[in-house]
Amino acid sequence: MSSLRRADRVSAILERVTGTGSVDAGQLADEFQVSPATIRRDLQILEDQRLLSRTHGGAVAVDVAYELPVRFRAGQHREEKALIAKTVAGLLPKGPLSLGLTGGTTTHLLARLLAERVDLTVVTNALNIAAELSLRPRLKLIMTGGVSRTQSYELVGPIADQALRGLNMAVAVVGVDGISVRGGLTTHDEIEANTNATMVRRADRVIVVADGSKVGKVCLAGICPITDVAMLVTDPSADPAGVEAIRRAGTEVMMAG
């Protein structure tokens, strides 16, 4: 495991502490083939984000579910997210298309797959997606303004909302932290949720991209009800009961891979 980048290693450590409740720094150093000092820095990063609590010799889980910053999320469920992005890229209509993209690791992967398309107009509030597409000469990029959220690289708030209210999109691809019949689409931050909801309202068709860990999950802030979603693209690890409930609510569900 010595080839893991820090973001991937930190993501793996967080998954471990979430699953087991605690981790030992020495064991992590051996497993990842890095120095104990490197592991201590990794644990400090996670403690600074309030994602765990350091102890003498290791760390323990915290009780509150905080949002994992997007730079660490990229290492989680990477294969599933890549398959979901590839599936959605194949589903999008050919020819001229106005496409909305919210922030998120899967939508960022999708943007990379679409970068060579022609006759495509992309509307996004995500700084990393805009950076990915800004130098593509055959693609039109529209970026909202707004206040930057360091957790998600998204521009949010009234300025972003106002920009989106003046635009119309044929399709919006929306990344979420949770999707369920009870909660609809949800995320951790209420201001981000409101901006994403504005994009949803301005789109003719809404496609949600969510790996299986997010199906059936309900987070703090609601974006929109499940009935606003035309399609969910997820992976086979999703809870079957949650998937079936979403289907019964009238949303098409497609399994990537």
Side-chain angles (χ1 to χ4, degrees):
M1 287 196 176
S2 58
S3 63
L4 281 182
R5 297 178 303 120
R6 164 155 277 155
D8 295 339
R9 191 174 61 246
V10 168
S11 176
I13 291 170
L14 183 64
E15 286 197 62
R16 182 77 52 82
V17 77
T18 301
T20 64
S22 65
V23 289
D24 179 85
Q27 291 178 355
L28 291 173
D30 291 340
E31 179 178 346
F32 293 111
Q33 300 175 27
V34 295
S35 70
T38 296
I39 291 297
R40 286 195 294 271
R41 285 192 292 270
D42 292 344
L43 296 177
Q44 186 64 56
I45 287 170
L46 290 169
E47 186 175 58
D48 290 345
Q49 299 286 343
R50 299 186 297 176
L51 297 167
L52 53 72
S53 179
R54 291 182 65 192
T55 62
H56 179 70
V60 297
V62 294
D63 293 331
V64 181
Y66 290 102
E67 178 182 7
L68 184 64
V70 72
R71 64 185 181 279
F72 301 141
R73 268 184 267 153
Q76 293 188 314
H77 312 288
R78 177 177 291 175
E79 184 176 340
E80 293 89 343
K81 291 174 179 178
L83 288 171
I84 291 169
K86 184 177 180 181
T87 299
V88 174
L91 291 171
L92 293 175
K94 306 304 179 187
L97 177 66
S98 54
L99 175 69
L101 293 176
T102 69
T105 51
T106 307
T107 50
H108 188 199
L109 290 171
L110 175 61
R112 288 178 177 172
L113 294 175
L114 300 176
E116 299 303 323
R117 277 194 55 165
V118 299
D119 295 333
L120 182 64
T121 297
V122 174
V123 178
T124 189
N125 65 320
L127 292 163
N128 54 341
I129 291 175
E132 189 77 39
L133 300 179
S134 59
L135 298 179
R136 303 292 180 167
R138 297 184 295 178
L139 181 150
K140 182 176 182 179
L141 172 67
I142 300 175
M143 182 74 183
T144 71
V147 178
S148 175
R149 282 199 74 229
T150 56
Q151 298 291 90
S152 66
Y153 297 156
E154 286 188 271
L155 299 175
V156 299
I159 297 172
D161 301 346
Q162 183 176 356
L164 289 168
R165 280 195 290 267
L167 300 169
N168 300 298
M169 290 151 277
V171 180
V173 180
V174 179
V176 297
D177 294 308
I179 177 169
S180 67
V181 170
R182 179 172 73 88
L185 307 189
T186 58
T187 189
H188 292 282
D189 182 80
E190 67 279 3
I191 300 174
E192 179 180 308
N194 191 67
T195 296
N196 290 346
T198 305
M199 181 178 287
V200 165
R201 287 193 295 269
R202 302 307 302 174
D204 295 333
R205 177 176 171 83
V206 176
I207 299 174
V208 171
V209 289
D211 66 70
S213 69
K214 298 173 181 177
V215 175
K217 186 176 179 181
V218 178
C219 299
L220 170 69
I223 298 171
C224 69
I226 195 68
T227 49
D228 287 353
V229 179
M231 176 183 287
L232 163 65
V233 182
T234 186
D235 65 79
S237 71
D239 174 59
V243 168
E244 182 56 31
I246 290 169
R247 282 197 173 112
R248 287 200 305 269
T251 296
E252 183 180 356
V253 180
M254 178 167 288
M255 292 293 172

